[in-house]
Amino acid sequence: MQYVIQTKNVTKQYGKTAVLKGIDLAIQSGEFTAIMGPSGSGKSTLMNVLSTIDQASGGEVWLEGTSLLNMKKPELRKFRQEHMGFIFQDYNLLDTLTVKENIVLPLSLRRVAAKEMEERLLPIIQALHIESILDKYPSEISGGQKQRTASARAMITKPAIIFADEPTGALDSRSATQLLEQLAALNAKFGATILLVTHDVYAASYCRRVIFLRDGHIVNELYAGDQGQQAFYERILDTQSIVGGAGR
């Protein structure tokens, strides 16, 4: 069994305020997992700690067996660039670059050969259905297309894990559904490991596993198993009503 991420007794404090209170977590390669919880539960803090954007106050974090505990900031930055992909709510695209240029930017910065860039690009843009907008600029495309562009950029480096922070938060319901379907397809087709942080039951229902946080603790988790998206949605909704937090 190969774990992409493992944590042991992870804590995080800001001053005297404890936000994470002993998190033990394991994410297997190829999992599509959601972290849910009400505002203040610690879900965004947990993602920041796992993705090395923030540092744990205590405990251990391993990515593909490598301990992140004693890495210095330059080492963490390099490790993040080489092993992680990110999808943010506000897209983080560069307005002066085309869609294609935004997607391949991480490879350009690594001086990857043009031929290899094209080989990596094609299957991803086909899976996300954005072949027709490659020459457009971010100002010329919809929010849903921007988020699919951001998803392609996250995938192009073949990261060990993709962190998605409320990726549907700025999208209308149709665009959100399209994005979630395509993230599920990326997970299924390429075996991409995706960790999605969301307050949205509908978004979480496209994942195969849902972890519930409350007051800095993991309080429950669900696996989709053989259930379809709608049935899993109902289970998540029922569980959320017990553990707390607002749904869609």
Side-chain angles (χ1 to χ4, degrees), residues 47-66:
M47 190 191 78
N48 288 341
V49 167
L50 296 178
S51 63
T52 75
I53 291 172
D54 204 351
Q55 190 170 18
S57 301
E60 288 235 40
V61 180
W62 296 270
L63 194 144
E64 293 191 311
T66 299

Side-chain angles (χ1 to χ4, degrees), residues 1-235:
M1 185 179 297
Q2 183 180 358
Y3 291 113
V4 175
I5 280 185
Q6 287 179 279
T7 73
K8 182 179 180 181
N9 196 32
V10 164
T11 61
K12 180 63 182 178
Q13 289 190 206
Y14 295 102
K16 294 183 179 180
T17 303
V19 181
L20 300 178
K21 304 170 184 176
I23 300 293
D24 294 325
L25 177 65
I27 304 292
Q28 291 184 43
S29 178
E31 277 199 293
F32 188 7
T33 303
I35 295 178
M36 295 193 72
S39 179
S41 63
K43 59 185 185 296
S44 293
T45 300
L46 178 58
M47 190 191 78
N48 288 341
V49 167
L50 296 178
S51 63
T52 75
I53 291 172
D54 204 351
Q55 190 170 18
S57 301
E60 288 235 40
V61 180
W62 296 270
L63 194 144
E64 293 191 311
T66 299
S67 173
L68 307 182
L69 185 63
N70 295 315
M71 283 191 187
K72 305 299 182 186
K73 284 187 177 180
E75 294 176 290
L76 286 172
R77 190 182 307 114
K78 186 172 187 291
F79 194 83
R80 187 161 57 240
Q81 291 170 346
E82 292 179 352
H83 297 273
M84 302 176 188
F86 294 87
I87 307 170
F88 299 101
Q89 183 175 330
D90 58 359
Y91 320 124
N92 281 13
L93 301 177
L94 296 179
D95 293 334
T96 56
L97 300 183
T98 65
V99 165
K100 180 178 179 179
E101 289 167 342
N102 267 287
I103 295 170
V104 301
L105 180 61
L107 300 183
S108 299
L109 294 174
R110 298 183 191 181
R111 303 182 185 276
V112 172
K115 182 181 179 183
E116 183 178 346
M117 284 189 197
E118 294 294 333
E119 289 173 350
R120 291 198 190 188
L121 181 70
L122 184 60
I124 295 171
I125 62 172
Q126 288 176 337
L128 289 166
H129 305 299
I130 52 175
E131 306 102 303
S132 64
I133 63 167
L134 291 184
D135 295 327
K136 295 184 180 294
Y137 289 87
S139 62
E140 299 174 315
I141 61 177
S142 69
Q145 290 170 327
K146 288 177 184 177
Q147 199 57 295
R148 280 182 271 160
T149 300
S151 301
R153 182 186 57 195
M155 277 287 300
I156 196 111
T157 58
K158 299 180 180 178
I161 187 166
I162 295 172
F163 293 96
D165 187 6
E166 298 282 6
T168 61
L171 303 180
D172 60 57
S173 58
R174 180 172 177 273
S175 297
T177 296
Q178 288 177 338
L179 177 69
L180 292 164
E181 288 175 347
Q182 286 154 2
L183 287 177
L186 289 175
N187 169 253
K189 183 174 181 179
F190 299 105
T193 307
I194 304 172
L195 187 62
L196 182 150
V197 170
T198 185
H199 68 280
D200 186 347
V201 174
Y202 182 72
S205 70
Y206 279 84
C207 300
R208 307 308 298 163
R209 177 187 179 194
V210 179
I211 296 166
F212 295 89
L213 256 62
R214 187 176 65 198
D215 298 327
H217 297 282
I218 293 176
V219 294
N220 208 333
E221 64 180 305
L222 297 177
Y223 288 85
D226 296 330
Q227 285 186 310
Q229 180 263 327
Q230 183 59 41
F232 197 38
Y233 172 86
E234 298 294 340
R235 277 183 67 206

